[in-house]
């Protein structure tokens, strides 16, 4: 009888969650949830769970350049409750396991690009303090506390110690992985075993990091278990993720969300390649007393200019740059403080009418450093968002309302933040 009552209570909890999700503020929204694990500076150490720090930076630059707003699990819950508006282009960035590189390599990039992420940790594997061992792979609780206090990271559970410790944390194909029920295990026995582990992980995260609530759970190996969700609800965890690929339909709820695995075989610029409508236009651009009318495209409210036209306009100034096409890497290369030497015919008039275009997937190399920037390839030419090009090349962009012209300030200055 007691077992029946517990099952009935779980059903009522599920129905209540469904009802609240059906009326939440996020109906009709899909959100890409990105899955990372480890990051490395050593190309020889790459595997399906690691990306290079350079690639991770490109990924985060791509999100920032194309206007994505990062959401933490706590923010998703606020949106579902109608307490916060869903941004136009949401994304959730997740890390599994709790690798040292999340602090040393990912954390600085997230801060610099304005991104945020949630890391789900296997609590027993986290360290009380750094050992001084350069081969240390796990995060320390001190690092996790700093990450949580920054607002850049939220800390979630990847269990206390149910990430297959008996198999050195590795998955068993066709076996019992993570929080899956054991053969012959009853629901009450399962709840006692797995529920205790979950409660221990939550208590430790709160105690060690100072984070008031634990909102997120990542299923080890993506191995879902129907008996797990009531335990998550009982502990106040409102967001969980798996490893099956696809966009997360938030109007269906915040449990068992799919994620996109991001690895070296597929850059984020390909996974989330932008498709937009480009409207042809003409823009008056002035720099150092020289004024030209440049053919431009208006894409998502921003002016996109042909990079060679800007190079020609700025030629001879302190922020002049040369442009080359690297056929091997299939990318644009810019060299600062260099005369623009490429003979280039005047740009032909743009065709009339809007057209569908796709974003450039390769980074732009500036003085030997590759950067992801908002750009589109149109009729064989690369068109850059003008403000983003200014950040790369060191000029500021302003608007003269009276003259209805874009002003380029070429005085030496620190790079501006793209708008």
């Amino acid at each position: 009888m007691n077992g029946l009552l517990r099952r009935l209570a779980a059903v009522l909890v599920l129905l209540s969650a469904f009802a609240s999700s059906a009326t939440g503020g996020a109906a009709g929204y899909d959100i890409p949830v990105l899955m990372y694990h480890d990051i490395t500076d050593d190309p020889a150490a790459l595997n399906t769970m690691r990306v290079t720090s350079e690639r991770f930076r490109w990924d985060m630059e791509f999100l920032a350049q194309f206007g994505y707003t990062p959401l933490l699990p706590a923010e998703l819950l606020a949106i579902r409750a109608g307490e916060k508006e869903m941004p136009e282009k949401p994304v959730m960035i997740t890390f599994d396991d709790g690798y040292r590189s999340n602090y040393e390599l990912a954390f600085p990039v997230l801060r610099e690009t304005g991104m945020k992420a949630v890391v789900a940790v296997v609590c027993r594997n986290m360290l009380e303090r750094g050992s001084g061992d350069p081969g240390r792979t796990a995060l320390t609780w001190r690092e996790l506390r700093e990450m949580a206090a920054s607002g850049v990271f939220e800390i979630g559970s990847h269990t206390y110690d149910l990430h297959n410790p008996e198999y050195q944390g590795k998955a068993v194909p066709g076996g019992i992985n993570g929080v899956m029920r054991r053969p012959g295990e009853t629901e009450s026995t399962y709840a006692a075993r797995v529920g205790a582990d979950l409660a221990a992980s939550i208590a430790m995260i709160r105690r060690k990091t100072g984070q008031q609530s634990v909102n997120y759970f990542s299923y080890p190996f993506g191995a879902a278990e129907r008996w797990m969700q009531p335990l998550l609800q009982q502990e106040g965890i409102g967001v969980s993720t798996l490893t099956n690929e696809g966009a997360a339909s938030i109007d269906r709820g915040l449990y068992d969300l799919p994620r996109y695995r991001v690895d070296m075989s597929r850059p984020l610029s390909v996974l989330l390649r932008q498709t937009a409508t480009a409207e042809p236009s003409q823009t008056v651009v002035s720099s150092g007393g020289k004024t030209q009318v440049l053919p431009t495209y208006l894409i998502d409210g921003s002016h996109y200019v042909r990079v060679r036209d800007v190079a020609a306009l700025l030629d001879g100034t302190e922020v002049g740059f040369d442009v080359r096409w690297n056929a091997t890497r299939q990318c644009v290369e810019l060299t600062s403080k260099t005369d623009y030497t490429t003979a280039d015919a005047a740009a032909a008039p743009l065709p009339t009418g809007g057209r569908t275009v796709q974003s450039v997937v390769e980074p732009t190399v500036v003085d030997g450093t590759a950067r992801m920037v908002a750009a589109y390839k149109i009729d064989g030419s690369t068109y850059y968002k003008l403000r983003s090009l200014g950040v790369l090349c060191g000029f500021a962009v302003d608007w003269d309302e009276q003259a209805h012209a874009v002003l380029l300030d070429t005085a030496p200055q620190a790079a501006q933040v793209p708008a």
Side-chain angles (χ1 to χ4, degrees):
M1 187 64 172
N2 288 338
L4 178 60
L5 289 175
R6 281 196 297 270
R7 285 192 291 272
L8 179 59
V11 170
L12 289 175
V13 169
L14 288 171
L15 289 174
S16 174
F18 177 80
S20 63
S21 70
T23 59
Y29 280 95
D30 286 351
I31 175 173
V33 182
L34 310 178
M35 178 175 61
Y36 293 91
H37 288 78
D38 199 5
I39 300 175
T40 182
D41 280 329
D42 180 6
L46 288 172
N47 57 35
T48 58
M49 298 292 184
R50 291 192 184 108
V51 298
T52 63
S53 56
E54 180 182 56
R55 170 61 66 78
F56 182 71
R57 177 177 289 279
W58 295 350
D59 287 352
M60 297 303 104
E61 288 177 343
F62 174 87
L63 294 174
Q65 284 283 312
F66 284 102
Y68 281 89
T69 300
L71 296 176
L72 296 174
E75 294 171 308
L76 274 183
L77 289 168
I79 291 168
R80 295 287 301 150
E83 300 167 359
K84 182 182 176 72
E85 290 294 322
M86 176 70 85
E88 183 178 349
K89 294 176 74 172
V91 66
M92 187 164 78
I93 303 161
T94 71
F95 287 87
D96 280 2
D97 300 332
Y99 288 97
R100 175 184 185 177
S101 64
N102 300 170
Y103 175 82
E104 294 186 345
L105 299 179
F107 192 12
V109 171
L110 292 168
R111 281 190 294 202
E112 291 167 19
T113 56
M115 293 292 115
K116 298 184 288 189
V118 57
V119 54
V121 299
V122 182
C123 291
R124 187 171 181 178
N125 294 345
M126 301 302 98
L127 304 175
E128 288 300 325
R129 59 183 62 85
S131 63
D133 177 7
R136 170 172 69 92
T137 59
L139 286 163
T140 69
W141 286 112
R142 182 175 181 178
E143 290 167 343
L144 284 161
R145 176 177 283 272
E146 181 185 341
M147 292 159 70
S150 72
V152 174
F153 271 98
E154 186 173 331
I155 314 303
S157 172
H158 207 33
T159 74
Y160 177 81
D161 193 28
L162 290 180
H163 200 281
N164 287 15
E166 65 273 34
Y167 300 109
Q168 292 74 51
K170 294 180 174 20
V172 180
I176 306 301
N177 292 295
V179 298
M180 294 173 65
R181 73 186 74 170
R182 293 171 176 170
E185 192 169 34
T186 66
E187 187 170 359
S188 60
T189 303
Y190 175 89
R193 176 178 66 88
V194 179
D197 177 277
L198 178 64
S201 74
I202 293 170
M204 180 166 278
I205 290 169
R206 287 174 174 164
R207 185 173 72 256
K208 295 288 191 178
T209 69
Q211 183 175 289
Q212 293 185 353
S213 60
V214 179
N215 306 299
Y216 175 74
F217 180 81
S218 171
Y219 280 86
F221 314 106
E225 172 54 64
R226 180 171 57 85
W227 286 352
M228 187 64 183
Q229 185 168 318
L231 301 180
L232 297 177
Q233 291 170 323
Q234 290 168 23
E235 294 291 345
I237 291 182
V239 183
S240 65
T241 56
L242 303 173
T243 57
N244 54 309
E245 186 159 298
S249 297
I250 302 304
D251 54 342
R252 297 180 182 177
L254 298 179
Y255 289 111
D256 298 349
L257 300 180
R259 293 186 288 177
Y260 292 104
R261 179 191 295 275
V262 186
D263 58 29
M264 293 300 291
S265 69
R266 181 176 57 175
L268 199 56
S269 59
V270 172
L271 177 64
L272 297 182
R273 190 174 191 182
Q274 304 293 289
T275 300
T277 299
E279 297 288 348
S281 179
Q282 289 187 321
T283 303
V284 179
V285 181
S286 178
S287 174
K290 185 164 55 174
T291 299
Q292 288 188 15
V293 178
L294 300 184
T296 61
Y297 281 101
L298 193 63
I299 303 175
D300 293 332
S302 295
H303 292 286
Y304 281 73
V305 296
R306 197 173 70 139
V307 65
R308 293 188 180 278
D309 292 339
V310 178
L313 179 63
L314 297 179
D315 191 28
T317 71
E318 294 183 78
V319 294
F321 59 91
D322 198 11
V323 182
R324 289 284 185 272
W325 173 252
N326 187 318
T328 301
R329 295 186 62 174
Q330 290 292 293
C331 70
V332 173
E333 292 184 344
L334 308 180
T335 305
S336 65
K337 302 185 187 309
T338 305
D339 291 338
Y340 178 56
T341 57
T342 302
D344 198 25
L350 301 180
T352 59
R355 57 195 305 187
T356 300
V357 295
Q358 287 192 306
S359 59
V360 171
V361 300
E362 295 295 337
T364 295
V365 177
V366 183
D367 296 333
T369 300
R371 302 280 301 277
M372 282 305 304
V373 62
Y376 289 85
K377 195 79 166 182
I378 306 175
D379 293 335
S381 295
T382 304
Y383 285 77
Y384 287 80
K385 185 188 289 187
L386 188 53
R387 289 188 183 275
S388 297
L389 190 59
V391 173
L392 288 182
C393 300
F395 60 85
V397 179
D398 202 358
W399 173 252
D400 186 332
E401 182 64 34
Q402 185 174 0
H404 289 279
V406 173
L407 303 180
L408 305 186
D409 183 356
T410 60
Q413 59 188 293
Q416 59 184 340
V417 177

